[in-house]
Amino acid sequence: MQNQDDIRNLPIDIAFARLGEWLVDRKRIPVDWRKRLTAVTAKISASFALLPKDIDPYLHTLDVEGIGYLEAKKIYEILLKATPESRNIFGRLSGDSGVWEAIVRAYEKEYIFLGEAAQIMVQNVNYEIPYHKKQIQKTQQQLAELERKEADIKRNAALSASKYVEACQELGLQGINVRSELLETATKSLPSTFSRILEVLNGDSVSRAIEFYSDFVKDAHTEKNKTVAVVLPNLRSARERPPLIDVSVSPEVLEVMNAQAGHNGLSQITIETDIAADGIDWDITLDSSQIDWDIGTVEETEENGNGLGPYEIVNASDIMSSLRNDDVKSHRTSKDEEFPAPEVSVSEISWDISVENPQVSVIEEDSSQNNDAELQSLQNNLTADSVAIHERSPLLETEYRNKILDDLFEVKAFLNQRLIELRNEGTTSLQHQVQAVAPLVLQQYSSDIIQRMLSDVSSSISLLTNRKTRDMIMILNSKRFLDRLVKTLEEKKLQEAKLKDGLTDLSTRRMELQNSMSSSWPKQEAALAKTRELKELCESTLSSMFDGRPVNIIGEINTLLISS
């Protein structure tokens, strides 16, 4: 049989979920403890509004709805330290200290605070703490996802940047002004490419390949007393009369570039000159009967010797119109040849004209010299552009390239077939017999020689058909291709910018999540600390009720407190 000391040392285990019922069943707290607790809470709400919060920083951290027995007791202790002599003649505290002393005593009367503690522990363990934990875990997962997305965006941005750089390097661009750089690169690179193509075509290997193919056709497919058919005419023509290698932008692309630029030096000078010419009042009166429009006027002009007729006045718009004529040198009409127009240089124009129109400025001598220089430069530019457009390399034309490629592929197919026949072990004896009766000119081509010829022919085909060459040609010839290529490159560049803009949104989202976690984490820690403190309070209070017997509140509360 156990003695009294053994019974006193036996622990009392109470499940935290049923602590409130356990206290009521054993009459440790009244049955209506919730009603009394509501009255105390109402008194706390009324007193907290009148509380002097400046006496301690702790009071600023409190919320009226979160004040319980422990908080009320701490407020009472703070007020007691702040006003230790606020007692009346009966020895009781007065003022705020007295109010909060009454609140604490109402809690302690019949152990109402134990019922509140049991209620708060159940609420924290079952709801409050798990909620904050889930919120923190969710925020941490979102932060991890953001980090993964950020890493992916940075990797994709770097990949887009590298693709843009690679595309620019492949085309020989710096990536600053893509459109103009494409045109400049095509204009500079194509002549050297065409030069290499012509160099290979004019090489000894291609020459021998053409000769070999011609001799073979002559021997195998030409009947006696018949004219030998000309083989590879386009390739022979390109070798005998090498095409130009000068390149320039096509008129279509040039027109679009000028339109996109908004203004062009040529059009600007032309418009200004036309306006000036049309707006000038020449103050000259001529009767229509005095003007003879017959060809005799031209002859009379020639007799004057100055090329300007009886009047030394020239309409500036006529001079500009003659300068803008692209075919002034190369496309003379038969009528122009019969009646050549007098050559008038800009320096021979007499600008000594009095202007009465107030809207037109007077042209001084120094400005006259500047205009002469501008007009002369403009004339040179027009002539150069006209020559460049009319003397573009035929290799820029698809039809011309295709004709040369047809002949090259024909030679390549022939050389391939001959090489296979010579290296085929099954027909070696037959080939020897054929070679023996073949003309001497065909017997000199061994498989090694044919292989070298085939290699050079394939090289010329590759130079004509590789992607870079085709792109450079299309850049100069096709506006649509140029626009599409520029758009493709700019999209790669913009893709990097879009991805970097996405990083800004991620940074904002990360800051929001970090702020959310910063607010959730203290709330969780505060709930855990309060739960732990209430558990210790209940265990110590109940132990004193049962003559010092140890009291253990068991259940999920211990697992939660230990894991946290």
Side-chain angles (χ1 to χ4, degrees):
M1 185 177 180
Q2 294 180 345
N3 55 22
Q4 192 67 23
D5 293 335
D6 294 336
I7 294 174
R8 186 178 297 132
N9 292 329
L10 288 176
I12 300 175
D13 296 335
I14 306 172
F16 86 98
R18 300 183 60 84
L19 179 59
E21 298 177 5
W22 188 92
L23 292 172
V24 172
D25 291 342
R26 284 158 180 78
K27 297 181 181 181
R28 300 300 174 178
I29 59 175
V31 178
D32 60 345
W33 65 270
R34 289 185 176 84
K35 183 178 179 180
R36 298 186 184 187
L37 182 61
T38 303
V40 176
T41 304
K43 192 173 182 180
I44 289 175
S45 300
S47 302
F48 185 75
L50 304 175
L51 188 66
K53 300 181 179 62
D54 295 334
I55 61 176
D56 194 282
Y58 173 75
L59 300 180
H60 289 281
T61 63
L62 294 176
D63 184 14
V64 64
E65 295 180 357
I67 297 177
Y69 172 69
L70 295 176
E71 290 78 14
K73 191 174 182 180
K74 192 167 185 179
I75 293 172
Y76 167 67
E77 293 174 354
I78 291 173
L79 294 174
L80 187 61
K81 291 179 181 179
T83 57
E85 298 180 355
S86 60
R87 294 182 181 273
N88 56 21
I89 59 175
F90 299 104
R92 294 184 178 181
L93 293 171
S94 61
D96 294 326
S97 301
V99 172
W100 286 94
E101 182 184 19
I103 292 174
V104 172
R105 288 182 177 179
Y107 266 119
E108 293 176 349
K109 184 179 181 181
E110 298 187 33
Y111 299 102
I112 298 299
F113 68 90
L114 289 177
E116 182 196 50
Q119 180 179 345
I120 293 175
M121 284 191 295
V122 171
Q123 182 178 354
N124 285 349
V125 172
N126 291 340
Y127 304 105
E128 194 73 15
I129 296 175
Y131 170 77
H132 289 302
K133 278 193 170 185
K134 289 181 180 179
Q135 285 295 108
I136 292 174
Q137 290 177 356
K138 183 179 179 181
T139 304
Q140 289 175 343
Q141 291 177 355
Q142 291 177 344
L143 285 173
E145 184 69 16
L146 281 181
E147 290 180 359
R148 187 187 64 79
K149 286 184 178 179
E150 183 178 5
D152 291 342
I153 290 176
K154 288 182 178 179
R155 183 174 61 254
N156 292 333
L159 184 61
S160 298
S162 63
K163 285 183 178 179
Y164 177 72
V165 172
E166 289 176 1
C168 290
Q169 289 178 351
E170 183 180 354
L171 296 172
L173 309 178
Q174 295 180 356
I176 300 174
N177 189 343
V178 176
R179 185 179 295 273
S180 61
E181 289 178 10
L182 281 171
L183 292 173
E184 183 180 359
T185 302
T187 306
K188 291 182 178 180
S189 64
L190 279 178
S192 59
T193 303
F194 290 165
S195 178
R196 290 198 303 271
I197 292 172
L198 294 178
E199 183 180 353
V200 175
L201 292 180
N202 292 321
D204 293 337
S205 295
V206 178
S207 299
R208 298 187 67 182
I210 296 174
E211 182 181 355
F212 181 31
Y213 182 51
S214 300
D215 292 338
F216 185 87
V217 171
K218 179 180 179 181
D219 180 68
H221 300 285
T222 303
E223 299 179 1
K224 294 181 179 180
N225 300 326
K226 286 191 177 181
T227 306
V228 180
V230 179
V231 295
L232 311 175
N234 301 304
L235 188 56
R236 290 177 182 273
S237 176
R239 286 168 49 82
E240 294 172 359
R241 296 183 296 276
L244 295 173
I245 62 173
D246 296 330
V247 298
S248 64
V249 182
S250 66
E252 176 190 5
V253 178
L254 186 61
E255 180 181 356
V256 173
M257 289 295 295
N258 293 337
Q260 291 179 349
H263 63 85
N264 182 268
L266 172 62
S267 60
Q268 184 176 4
I269 296 174
T270 304
I271 291 172
E272 291 178 355
T273 310
D274 288 342
I275 293 175
D278 295 336
I280 296 176
D281 183 7
W282 300 101
D283 196 16
I284 298 172
T285 303
L286 294 176
D287 295 332
S288 60
S289 60
Q290 296 178 358
I291 301 175
D292 186 6
W293 298 102
D294 199 1
I295 304 301
T297 304
V298 179
E299 298 174 355
E300 180 182 355
T301 303
E302 293 176 353
E303 293 175 359
N304 291 332
N306 58 2
L308 295 174
Y311 303 100
E312 293 185 355
I313 299 173
V314 179
N315 190 347
S317 61
D318 295 337
I319 295 297
M320 293 308 301
S321 298
S322 63
L323 290 177
R324 287 195 301 271
N325 188 0
D326 292 342
D327 300 332
V328 67
K329 292 183 179 181
S330 58
H331 299 284
R332 296 285 189 180
T333 61
S334 60
K335 189 173 184 178
D336 292 331
E337 293 175 354
E338 183 178 357
F339 302 103
E343 296 181 359
V344 181
S345 64
V346 178
S347 61
E348 293 177 359
I349 299 176
S350 175
W351 297 98
D352 188 9
I353 301 168
S354 61
V355 180
E356 296 179 359
N357 191 347
Q359 297 178 355
V360 181
S361 302
V362 179
I363 304 176
E364 298 179 355
E365 292 182 359
D366 54 348
S367 62
S368 173
Q369 296 175 359
N370 293 334
N371 289 335
D372 292 344
E374 290 179 359
L375 291 172
Q376 187 65 32
S377 176
L378 179 59
Q379 185 179 14
N380 295 336
N381 290 336
L382 283 172
T383 304
D385 291 341
S386 177
V387 172
I389 291 174
H390 289 290
E391 294 185 357
R392 298 176 78 225
S393 174
L395 289 171
L396 292 174
E397 305 301 328
T398 305
E399 184 178 358
Y400 184 82
R401 293 196 312 277
N402 288 341
K403 289 179 179 179
I404 295 178
L405 284 173
D406 288 343
D407 288 354
L408 288 173
F409 279 118
E410 186 177 347
V411 176
K412 182 179 178 180
F414 167 72
L415 295 176
N416 269 324
Q417 183 63 31
R418 293 299 299 159
L419 194 62
I420 293 173
E421 291 173 354
L422 290 176
R423 291 180 177 179
N424 189 356
E425 297 180 357
T427 60
T428 303
S429 59
L430 179 60
Q431 289 297 325
H432 287 316
Q433 295 176 6
V434 173
Q435 287 287 96
V437 298
L440 182 62
V441 69
L442 296 179
Q443 297 180 13
Q444 60 183 343
Y445 297 104
S446 63
S447 60
D448 294 337
I449 296 176
I450 294 176
Q451 181 63 52
R452 286 195 296 270
M453 291 189 295
L454 181 60
S455 177
D456 287 344
V457 170
S458 300
S459 176
S460 61
I461 293 175
S462 177
L463 287 173
L464 275 172
T465 58
N466 70 73
R467 181 177 179 180
K468 185 175 181 180
T469 302
R470 288 187 285 111
D471 288 349
M472 292 295 106
I473 293 173
M474 291 295 292
I475 287 170
L476 296 180
N477 288 342
S478 173
K479 166 190 170 296
R480 293 178 60 186
F481 180 83
L482 178 61
D483 292 341
R484 186 167 64 249
L485 185 58
V486 171
K487 183 178 179 181
T488 302
L489 292 174
E490 289 179 348
E491 284 178 352
K492 292 180 180 179
K493 187 176 182 179
L494 291 175
Q495 182 67 18
E496 179 187 5
K498 289 180 180 179
L499 291 172
K500 288 184 177 179
D501 291 340
L503 289 177
T504 305
D505 298 337
L506 289 181
S507 300
T508 304
R509 179 59 179 163
R510 180 189 294 105
M511 187 175 297
E512 294 175 355
L513 292 174
Q514 288 176 347
N515 293 336
S516 175
M517 191 165 65
S518 299
S519 62
S520 298
W521 192 273
K523 290 179 181 179
Q524 177 187 342
E525 293 300 317
L528 287 170
K530 187 172 184 179
T531 303
R532 188 177 288 107
E533 190 174 0
L534 290 174
K535 177 176 178 291
E536 293 175 355
L537 175 65
C538 291
E539 289 176 345
S540 61
T541 304
L542 290 174
S543 178
S544 63
M545 288 182 182
F546 292 99
D547 299 329
R549 289 183 62 180
V551 176
N552 299 323
I553 297 178
I554 61 175
E556 188 180 352
I557 185 172
N558 293 321
T559 305
L560 186 65
L561 293 176
I562 292 172
S563 62
S564 302

